[in-house]
Amino acid sequence: MNINTYDCGSVKHLSTLFKLLAEPNRLKILCSLGLECRPVSDIIESTELSQTNVSFHLRALREAGLVKPERKGAFIYYCLPDPELLRLLGDFRHWLEEHQKEKTVV
Amino acid sequence: MNINTYDCGSVKHLSTLFKLLAEPNRLKILCSLGLECRPVSDIIESTELSQTNVSFHLRALREAGLVKPERKGAFIYYCLPDPELLRLLGDFRHWLEEHQKEKTVV
DNA sequence: CAATCATATGTGTTAATATTCATATGTGTA
DNA sequence: TACACATATGAATATTAACACATATGATTG
C-alpha cells in the first residue's frame, strides 16, 4: 500500500451503509421521518409505497440500526435514533450541488 | 407532506451518488487514489482487482465526475477532482464508528 | 374470543449490477 | 510499420436486490 493511500477504514462497513442509502425509497423513508417518530401507516402515506415495500425497507434500515421501532398500542412508531445522520445526508446533498456547478464550469 | 418532513433535496441524485459509493471495490479505488493522481496500473495493483474490473468501475466513477482521467503518454492517470469527497467519506466513517458504539451501549 | 386493524414475513419473479472473457483502441519505440 | 504495453469496450453469465402476492402475527375493541 502506498503511503499516500487514504484510509477509508473498513470499506465493507462503509459500503453496506451506502448500499442502504442508495435505495431511493429508503432515502425517502428516512427523509419523511425527519426528526419525528411516525407510525408505519404515516410513512406509507407520505412515500406512496405499498405496505409490503415499506415494511421491507424498514426492516433493512432497522437491522442496520438506522431507524428504531417503538410500539405504541397497535401502532409501531419509527424514528432515527441518531439525527446526526440527517446532517450527513445534508452534507452530501450540499456537496452534490457544488460538485454539479463545478462540472458545468469545467 | 408533513411540515416536519426533512428535505433531502433530489432523492434521485443522492441515491445515485450513494449507489456509486456502495460498491466496495469502487470505494477501494477512491481510497487508493487518495489525494494523488495514479495510473490505472497502480490502482489495479493496490486493489488487487482484475484490469477489466477496475476499468469498469473507473468508467462509472468517471461518468459521474468522481474521478478525472488525464493521459500522460501511454498511461492514464486518475485523480479525484474534488478531494472534499474524501472528507465526506471520513465523516461517514466516523459516524459509523460512533454509531456502532451506541448500538452496543443500547 | 371473534373481528378488525397495523405491521411483518415467506416465496417467487423480475430487474439491476458486478464480473469475466475475448478483443479492440490508443501510445511509445525499435 | 510492426510490436509491446496500457487501458477500454462488448457480450455473456452470475449474483444480488427490489417488489408483489398471499398470509401470518400481534394488538384493540366489541
Side-chain angles (χ1 to χ4, degrees), chain A residues 14-29:
Chain A
L14 253 188
S15 75
T16 52
L17 173 58
F18 285 136
K19 203 165 291 175
L20 282 165
L21 299 175
E23 225 295 317
N25 291 330
R26 279 196 287 263
L27 266 184
K28 264 198 214 170
I29 290 175

Side-chain angles (χ1 to χ4, degrees), chain A residues 43-61:
Chain A
I43 301 174
I44 293 172
E45 193 189 351
S46 64
T47 59
E48 294 179 312
L49 299 173
S50 73
Q51 184 268 316
T52 305
N53 201 3
V54 167
S55 200
F56 171 78
H57 288 306
L58 278 177
R59 155 134 80 158
L61 294 170

